[in-house]
Amino acid sequence: MIKADHVYKTFKTTDRREVKALVDFSTHITKGEVVVIIGPSGSGKSTFLRCLNRLEEIDSGEIVIDGVDIHDKRENINKIREEIGMVFQLFNLFPHKTVLENVTLAQIVVRKRSKEQAVETARGLLKKVGILEKENVYPSQLSGGQQQRVAIARALAMHPKIMMFDEATSALDPEMIGEVLDVMKTLAREGMTMVVVTHEMGFAREVSDRVIFMDDGQIVEEGTAEHFFVNPTHERTKLFLSQIL
Amino acid sequence: MSFNKRSLITLAILAVIVGSAYYFFARKGITYIWHWESIPEMLVYYGSKSAEDAEPRLRMGILMIGFVLTLKISIFSIIFGIIIGTIVGIARLSNEPVTRWLSLTYVELIRNTPLLVQIYIIYFFVGALLRLSAFAAGTAALSIFAGAYVGEIVRAGIQSIHKGQMEASRSLGMSYAQAMRYIVLPQAFKRIIPPLAGQFISLVKDSSLVSVIALADLMFQGQQAVARTYHAFEIYFTVAALYLVMTFALSMATQYVERRLAISD
């Protein structure tokens, strides 16, 4: 479903140094697979996610999703993005819109659904993430965990084929992490194709099919969550895991 | 309002300043005979205007006619100023270098030359070429002038919106234009209401400059009335008060809008 091959991505910092975010990065993700990407900050995890829906342009290589080369300038990127939901670390809800409007807006203006249809879909999803009673409040009145669940509902409302989570629980207070992870686990069990950047190894162990450990823009080691718990091979991986576990 | 020791001291200082100013002018011995009674008929009067229009009825006086024209010019300039400013603000942030340079050139050109000169150029040069009326030329000059300032305010407003908002919109499949229209601009406009209000209040006052192209606005009519009656103090005080009515109403209106939009905070 997702084929990333030999992807290179370099950032220029403000003092004109070059930072290699992705170096010859290749991975294939099949339909229904739940892939967790871990690694120290600055290792290129988020960059990879952002390249998957072209929030970042790649320097070279190829990313093909469902047979479409998404970095091909001739492709309509907006059409591709409809199929890829993204959940951000800082939620990025629309603060001037109510919870319900947050979830219906893109359905109406992008998917061209009728208002009634959009509201029906939105209510269903808000119920699923357990926050239906808050549909008429503004995001600023919600807790972080509630906001993130709304953000997940908003992404799901487009009925995407892939869901990406960019450190979705990193900005949350500890007691709220569980409620967001529960929603993510439900999605994973329902067969959604997911690419998840996270430090939550418990989540990886419970639902992931594969864990990728990245450092310096490259894959250092990949395998099942069990593999990482039981016998990680690289020193770098062992060091990292000892720090986060 | 509650008064404490500090506000009493402030009031005392104020009283001393006003008192000494009055004493100073009184000693100077200015003898001016006030003719406030000539003002009301400059606002509204009951009577006939000319031989052709002789039927007596309630009519607008000279200052009120000027007031209405100033109001019209101001409203048109504010509307066009917002339109031009929004386009320029977005253009200033374009990825396209030519668009960016063009909009920057416009902003710098307009902000760094006097409005009075711009009014003359637009009326006598552009206006003559395109056969613009004084009203059209005056409104165009003020709109173009306001557009440059509003453009910079809009640009700052857009830049103040966290880039995650644009990214979230785009990740949902919205185009750049849709993200701007539904997500970024509404939030930006809410944030820039205070500086915009200041800009538009300035614009109402700056509109008095169009009197130089014989556009019969409030300022122009005031000058005419002074030339006829020599009641300079009364008339200019009245003209100032009429500008104040417009700018104060604008202030109140923007504060109301700001309060209404604050519900999502």
Side-chain angles (χ1 to χ4, degrees):
Chain A
M1 185 165 215
I2 304 173
K3 288 189 180 130
D5 287 303
H6 311 291
V7 176
Y8 285 81
K9 171 71 187 176
T10 310
F11 285 109
K12 284 204 178 58
T13 59
T14 40
D15 52 343
R16 285 159 194 263
R17 276 183 307 114
E18 290 200 337
V19 178
K20 292 188 167 68
L22 292 175
V23 182
D24 196 19
F25 189 95
S26 302
T27 192
H28 290 191
I29 296 167
T30 55
K31 190 166 164 45
E33 198 177 9
V34 176
V35 176
V36 167
I37 305 178
I38 58 173
S41 67
S43 59
K45 321 176 290 280
S46 293
T47 305
F48 174 60
L49 280 198
R50 295 163 60 82
C51 288
L52 282 183
N53 67 353
R54 215 166 106 186
L55 283 179
E56 303 286 353
E57 301 284 341
I58 59 176
D59 298 336
S60 63
E62 193 180 48
I63 297 177
V64 177
I65 295 180
D66 255 355
V68 181
D69 178 356
I70 65 157
H71 285 267
D72 183 341
K73 290 270 188 282
R74 286 163 301 185
E75 295 290 345
N76 179 356
I77 187 61
N78 299 326
K79 267 269 160 293
I80 300 164
R81 284 184 180 138
E82 289 175 28
E83 312 297 335
I84 309 171
M86 185 160 189
V87 177
F88 299 85
Q89 183 177 359
L90 297 174
F91 331 133
N92 295 341
L93 289 181
F94 307 135
H96 60 306
K97 304 257 177 215
T98 64
V99 165
L100 191 64
E101 287 165 349
N102 262 277
V103 185
T104 53
L105 179 70
Q107 296 187 61
I108 295 166
V109 304
V110 178
R111 287 276 197 214
K112 308 288 178 209
R113 291 182 190 144
S114 69
K115 180 134 189 276
E116 295 72 37
Q117 225 183 333
V119 167
E120 199 186 310
T121 309
R123 291 220 169 102
L125 288 165
L126 287 173
K127 192 169 173 207
K128 181 173 178 177
V129 301
I131 200 158
L132 184 57
E133 74 282 2
K134 301 275 189 188
E135 67 171 43
N136 289 320
V137 308
Y138 287 95
S140 59
Q141 293 158 278
L142 298 177
S143 72
Q146 292 172 325
Q147 290 193 45
Q148 193 61 296
R149 285 185 280 147
V150 174
I152 294 173
R154 177 178 70 177
L156 289 175
M158 301 300 286
H159 293 131
K161 294 177 184 148
I162 301 163
M163 282 288 285
M164 306 197 293
F165 294 82
D166 188 2
E167 303 209 27
T169 56
S170 301
L172 296 176
D173 289 336
E175 75 269 24
M176 292 169 186
I177 292 176
E179 63 193 55
V180 173
L181 286 180
D182 285 343
V183 173
M184 290 166 65
K185 285 173 196 164
T186 310
L187 271 183
R189 294 203 182 95
E190 286 170 2
M192 175 66 79
T193 309
M194 290 166 69
V195 189
V196 184
V197 170
T198 185
H199 292 152
E200 297 294 330
M201 289 308 286
F203 172 83
R205 177 176 233 166
E206 225 177 297
V207 294
S208 81
D209 300 303
R210 179 156 54 112
V211 177
I212 295 175
F213 173 65
M214 279 182 79
D215 197 15
D216 289 331
Q218 287 169 305
I219 295 177
V220 176
E221 190 167 349
E222 63 182 312
T224 61
E226 284 313 311
H227 163 83
F228 277 85
F229 277 109
V230 182
N231 55 350
T233 44
H234 288 74
E235 281 310 310
R236 189 72 193 83
T237 318
K238 286 177 195 165
L239 180 66
F240 178 76
L241 288 172
S242 72
Q243 282 160 346
I244 65 160
L245 288 177
Chain B
M1 208 188 290
S2 70
F3 287 95
N4 54 23
K5 213 166 171 188
R6 208 196 231 159
S7 32
L8 285 177
I9 294 171
T10 316
L11 282 175
I13 295 172
L14 192 68
V16 169
I17 294 173
V18 173
S20 11
Y22 180 78
Y23 179 71
F24 175 77
F25 284 113
R27 267 182 51 131
K28 277 272 195 183
I30 294 173
T31 50
Y32 183 81
I33 301 158
W34 294 89
H35 286 286
W36 285 109
E37 72 280 358
S38 67
I39 297 299
E41 63 165 16
M42 293 180 185
L43 299 174
V44 277
Y45 66 95
Y46 184 85
S48 54
K49 197 167 164 189
S50 57
E52 296 88 63
D53 191 4
E55 191 203 339
R57 57 187 171 87
L58 207 57
R59 294 169 190 277
M60 286 198 289
I62 181 167
L63 292 184
M64 193 51 78
I65 292 171
F67 177 85
V68 170
L69 188 79
T70 289
L71 199 61
K72 253 194 216 163
I73 296 179
S74 300
I75 291 172
F76 277 119
S77 311
I78 286 173
I79 292 170
F80 287 122
I82 290 176
I83 295 171
I84 298 173
T86 306
I87 296 169
V88 170
I90 293 171
R92 288 273 279 116
L93 298 168
S94 167
N95 286 327
E96 220 287 299
V98 179
T99 312
R100 229 166 38 228
W101 293 335
L102 276 176
S103 53
L104 182 64
T105 309
Y106 162 74
V107 168
E108 294 302 334
L109 221 54
I110 297 299
R111 287 206 308 182
N112 297 317
T113 54
L115 174 57
L116 190 54
V117 176
Q118 292 166 18
I119 291 173
Y120 277 128
I121 291 176
I122 290 181
Y123 181 57
F124 288 114
F125 182 67
V126 183
L129 283 177
L130 300 176
R131 295 179 196 287
L132 294 182
S133 65
F135 180 81
T139 308
L142 287 172
S143 305
I144 291 169
F145 178 76
Y149 284 88
V150 173
E152 284 299 274
I153 295 173
V154 169
R155 176 184 64 84
I158 293 172
Q159 282 177 317
S160 79
I161 303 302
H162 193 274
K163 70 176 175 41
Q165 292 290 309
M166 177 58 90
E167 287 179 353
S169 318
R170 298 305 302 273
S171 77
L172 289 165
M174 286 188 218
S175 64
Y176 179 82
Q178 286 172 330
M180 270 290 167
R181 177 173 156 205
Y182 295 108
I183 305 303
V184 178
L185 284 179
Q187 293 181 62
F189 270 112
K190 184 172 149 186
R191 209 169 277 186
I192 63 179
I193 288 172
L196 274 185
Q199 190 56 46
F200 293 143
I201 286 167
S202 286
L203 185 67
V204 170
K205 294 180 294 177
D206 290 342
S207 76
S208 60
L209 287 172
V210 299
S211 59
V212 298
I213 53 173
L215 197 50
D217 74 332
L218 180 53
M219 185 64 202
F220 183 87
Q221 300 288 33
Q223 287 169 329
Q224 296 290 306
V226 170
R228 213 175 52 225
T229 62
Y230 295 108
H231 299 159
F233 285 9
E234 297 86 336
I235 290 169
Y236 283 131
F237 273 129
T238 309
V239 166
L242 288 173
Y243 276 109
L244 190 67
V245 167
M246 280 185 269
T247 51
F248 189 68
L250 198 52
S251 280
M252 292 292 107
T254 49
Q255 276 180 35
Y256 172 76
V257 173
E258 212 177 327
R259 267 201 308 276
R260 284 241 359 223
L261 289 178
I263 47 168
S264 64
D265 289 336

